[in-house]
Amino acid sequence: MRQMMVGVVALSALMAFPAMAAEGKRVSVKGELIDTWCYFSGVMGRPDAVVGSAHHTCAMWCAAGGIPIGLLGEDGEVYMVLKLPGDDASNGGETFLTMTNDTVEAEGMVYERDGLTYLVVSEVTSNDGIPNRTHEDFGVVPGNVIPDAVVDKVLEEG
Amino acid sequence: MRRLVTLLACAATPVVAQAPLPFDIGGSFSLVDQRGDTRTEDSFGGPSLLFFGYAQCQSICTVALPRMAEAVDLLAERGVEVQPVLVTVDPVRDTPASLRDHAPDIHPRLVALTGSEDALAGARKAFRVESEVIGEDIEGPLYAHGSFVYLLDAEGEVLTLLPPVLGADRMAEIAMGYLEAKP
């Protein structure tokens, strides 16, 4: 079977919804790269507890396990990140892991599909690291994601 | 909380806008199912929901596979038969014999595919799925791997991709939109 461009396939769907078509558009978005599973599922707590420093360790585990990351824009929109510069895969990859919970400004293309907003990042123009210090309010979320011995050691070392 | 409510409300809206993606997804593969039969992307006798993972996975597969299986059941209740398919990223442990034991635990109609390293790498490349060993536990390697669910038509062409964070009902709703639109 021949390889098929999603764009071509989408054209068929687009023809089925002629009044609802949408093309990709270039955007610049600033926001935090979040763990979409914990953010949407609520299994680890309220949305503001599963972003930032409080949730960083869990988010790295989730990213390592293949959970797609999202860019939580300053406008409150969650962009499902399909691709970051440096990764060939359509989701996942080391770049996702190393940038989890970073607040970045990204340029790329946004695509509306199936009621979701996807972002293909062409360039990360700034990276502020993790300024969202949610651990000051929530501690580590979830509390058992870091072994007690590690927490004790860090606290001992100040 | 307002953000979440807004987003969930958005996610609950019907299938509306379809924008093309800027890269190819999907392609041909030839793999072996749990019965030892050769299967290709167009040999499921109808549309399929396809996921890359492995039977021993204790991470994203434990979320995505049950959701995909439930979506298949929801679609069946609406009269649409969709074949659930797992493509392993762990061919060493996921042999046909091993998959024969594990597949019914995921879904009674699951087709679980394995194959040579090269054949599986080719399938992953076609679907732009990354997979790598990130550690070991007492049962063997732990894999990180892409976690989207892919909706394919009967000819094996990708209609869309579904993030595993979607609930089964939403997956089924999106799939229904595409499959009803097919002639």
Side-chain angles (χ1 to χ4, degrees):
Chain A
M1 205 231 30
R2 68 188 185 281
Q3 189 173 34
M4 191 70 186
M5 279 193 69
V6 166
V8 177
V9 176
L11 182 61
S12 303
L14 185 151
M15 291 165 68
F17 304 99
M20 304 170 185
E23 294 296 330
K25 63 178 180 182
R26 181 160 292 282
V27 296
S28 178
V29 185
K30 185 168 186 177
E32 180 181 331
L33 293 166
I34 63 166
D35 164 6
T36 57
W37 169 249
C38 292
Y39 188 81
F40 289 128
S41 69
V43 294
M44 295 300 176
R46 46 195 272 189
D48 54 349
V50 293
V51 295
S53 56
H55 195 63
H56 183 55
T57 303
C58 182
M60 289 182 69
W61 278 110
C62 284
I67 300 285
I69 65 169
L71 179 55
L72 173 58
E74 292 178 327
D75 57 358
E77 177 85 56
V78 175
Y79 301 82
M80 298 294 296
V81 177
L82 271 182
K83 196 166 170 52
L84 284 171
D87 280 327
D88 291 332
S90 62
N91 62 309
E94 190 174 346
T95 310
F96 281 66
L97 186 61
T98 58
M99 296 176 70
T100 302
N101 295 116
D102 286 0
T103 292
V104 301
E105 187 158 2
E107 293 184 354
M109 296 293 288
V110 159
Y111 301 87
E112 302 283 348
R113 286 179 67 85
D114 309 327
L116 299 166
T117 304
Y118 291 101
L119 176 64
V120 175
V121 177
S122 57
E123 184 180 4
V124 176
T125 55
S126 70
N127 186 337
D128 299 336
I130 309 178
N132 190 9
R133 297 173 64 83
T134 50
H135 72 280
E136 293 172 353
D137 292 325
F138 301 106
V140 177
V141 178
N144 61 355
V145 73
I146 303 175
D148 291 342
V150 174
V151 175
D152 292 343
K153 184 179 180 186
V154 170
L155 291 174
E156 281 177 13
E157 294 174 354
Chain B
M1 180 59 81
R2 184 176 60 82
R3 288 172 177 165
L4 183 61
V5 170
T6 302
L7 194 138
L8 290 175
C10 174
T13 55
V15 177
V16 284
Q18 314 297 336
L21 296 173
F23 42 72
D24 299 345
I25 297 180
S28 60
F29 58 77
S30 180
L31 300 169
V32 178
D33 70 15
Q34 67 265 44
R35 289 187 289 271
D37 296 330
T38 298
R39 306 298 288 264
T40 57
E41 73 285 355
D42 57 355
S43 66
F44 302 117
S48 59
L49 284 171
L50 184 148
F51 179 79
F52 289 82
Y54 61 113
Q56 306 287 336
C57 179
Q58 296 299 310
S59 183
I60 184 64
C61 300
T62 63
V63 174
L65 285 170
R67 288 183 175 205
M68 182 177 81
E70 186 180 350
V72 166
D73 290 340
L74 291 170
L75 287 162
E77 288 173 7
R78 298 172 67 176
V80 177
E81 291 295 325
V82 174
Q83 175 65 58
V85 180
L86 167 67
V87 179
T88 188
V89 298
D90 182 8
V92 173
R93 283 182 292 179
D94 284 349
T95 62
S98 173
L99 291 171
R100 200 155 48 239
D101 291 336
H102 285 102
D105 295 337
I106 299 168
H107 191 277
R109 292 197 298 108
L110 181 77
V111 170
L113 300 177
T114 188
S116 68
E117 294 278 4
D118 283 350
L120 290 166
R124 291 196 302 273
K125 184 176 181 182
F127 285 81
R128 294 178 174 262
V129 171
E130 187 159 299
S131 173
E132 63 178 312
V133 176
I134 57 168
E136 294 269 344
D137 69 7
I138 57 173
E139 295 183 345
L142 300 172
Y143 288 85
H145 56 87
S147 60
F148 278 91
V149 176
Y150 301 90
L151 174 67
L152 279 61
D153 67 13
E155 288 72 44
E157 295 175 349
V158 173
L159 296 176
T160 198
L161 68 175
L162 304 165
V165 298
L166 296 179
D169 53 351
R170 181 62 182 148
M171 284 189 185
E173 183 183 5
I174 292 171
M176 197 74 185
Y178 282 93
L179 299 174
E180 284 183 330
K182 293 286 287 184

